[in-house]
Amino acid sequence: SQKIEQNSEALNIQEGKTATLTCNYTNYSPAYLQWYRQDPGRGPVFLLLIRENEKEKRKERLKVTFDTTLKQSLFHITASQPADSATYLCALVPGGYQKVTFGTGTKLQVIP
Amino acid sequence: DAGVIQSPRHEVTEMGQEVTLRCKPISGHNSLFWYRQTMMRGLELLIYFNNNVPIDDSGMPEDRFSAKMPNASFSTLKIQPSEPRDSAVYFCASRFGGGAPNEKLFFGSGTQLSVL
């Protein structure tokens, strides 16, 4: 069956360090992979998109990698700040299809 | 731009009652998605529409759930009869571009449903 797995346990890191979140998938052939941020009591907010033929994408302090051989995406936040504390969700979009399926999310806590 | 608007924000009802959740997508967006979020199962896709037409409802848990999109600016998700296990946060999201898979989703603030 299809699965999208993210670290179920919360990730605690010190302010200023780089946070790395993982998204692994099985039985999918995504053409696109998206990352969203969700704050408590709010809906998810889009951050970045990466295509299957792209290895890496950057936006300010954010970096996403996509390895279709390992079936994995890594999401990095450099120089992390307490304001980065939130739940981060990855989402997969199969090629030729429009359905957007989310992972369970990883809660990030940046400690001052 | 007001964003995706959902109502009500909170709904508390008793088991067996009918519940109707409402969503107004962003003007000009062609796709609309209904998701349900719980701690145990995360964010699950229930159904999505393109140009007001339901495309995939395979995530709708049971016949008790139904969704409609009578026009481009309004959608409803109905649960009849409701059960305690339906308690969750229900999100509506819209997307520009119809079938463009690389477009991002815009989410509403969600409806927190509690079925007692």
Side-chain angles (χ1 to χ4, degrees):
Chain A
S1 62
Q2 295 178 325
K3 271 189 183 178
I4 306 170
E5 293 180 316
Q6 297 184 251
N7 293 358
S8 57
E9 304 213 353
L11 179 64
N12 296 321
I13 65 164
Q14 209 68 37
E15 181 177 4
K17 300 290 187 186
T18 295
T20 298
L21 284 66
T22 305
C23 176
N24 294 300
Y25 59 92
T26 54
N27 297 322
Y28 267 105
S29 296
Y32 304 90
L33 192 147
Q34 302 176 346
W35 282 89
Y36 289 76
R37 168 184 172 139
Q38 186 175 22
D39 291 288
R42 309 290 290 271
V45 175
F46 174 83
L47 295 174
L48 276 173
L49 173 147
I50 188 166
R51 293 173 172 77
E52 62 177 337
N53 59 355
E54 296 177 318
K55 295 292 184 189
E56 184 179 296
K57 201 79 168 281
R58 290 175 186 260
K59 179 182 176 183
E60 297 171 354
R61 294 184 297 112
L62 308 180
K63 185 178 88 171
V64 173
T65 63
F66 193 9
D67 188 327
T68 54
T69 301
L70 290 179
K71 296 187 183 299
Q72 180 181 78
S73 174
L74 299 179
F75 178 80
H76 306 272
I77 306 175
T78 58
S80 60
Q81 304 165 0
D84 295 327
S85 299
T87 295
Y88 292 85
L89 300 135
C90 67
L92 272 60
V93 187
Y97 200 35
Q98 305 147 18
K99 189 171 176 176
V100 184
T101 306
F102 283 82
T104 49
T106 298
K107 186 173 182 179
L108 173 67
Q109 187 78 28
V110 180
I111 303 162
Chain B
D1 188 348
V4 176
I5 300 173
Q6 290 187 248
S7 64
R9 192 79 170 86
H10 297 92
E11 176 80 34
V12 180
T13 190
E14 291 189 347
M15 183 174 65
Q17 296 297 307
E18 177 179 296
V19 174
T20 299
L21 311 181
R22 297 173 175 79
C23 176
K24 177 179 168 55
I26 293 173
S27 177
H29 282 193
N30 308 92
S31 297
L32 184 139
F33 299 73
W34 281 101
Y35 287 89
R36 175 172 71 177
Q37 188 172 42
T38 60
M39 287 292 291
M40 289 296 295
R41 300 172 71 91
L43 199 60
E44 299 175 278
L45 177 62
L46 301 177
I47 184 171
Y48 78 93
F49 297 82
N50 268 359
N51 297 315
N52 313 338
V53 176
I55 301 300
D56 187 334
D57 65 355
S58 59
M60 296 285 261
E62 301 168 30
D63 291 346
R64 298 185 296 107
F65 285 69
S66 62
K68 292 183 180 179
M69 192 162 186
N71 56 61
S73 58
F74 184 66
S75 177
T76 59
L77 178 68
K78 187 176 291 187
I79 308 173
Q80 166 63 17
S82 58
E83 297 182 3
R85 61 193 167 120
D86 301 330
S87 298
V89 180
Y90 290 80
F91 285 104
C92 173
S94 69
R95 181 176 69 187
F96 174 73
N102 57 325
E103 290 288 339
K104 58 190 176 185
L105 297 183
F106 291 80
F107 282 80
S109 296
T111 295
Q112 173 78 59
L113 173 65
S114 297
V115 183
L116 307 176

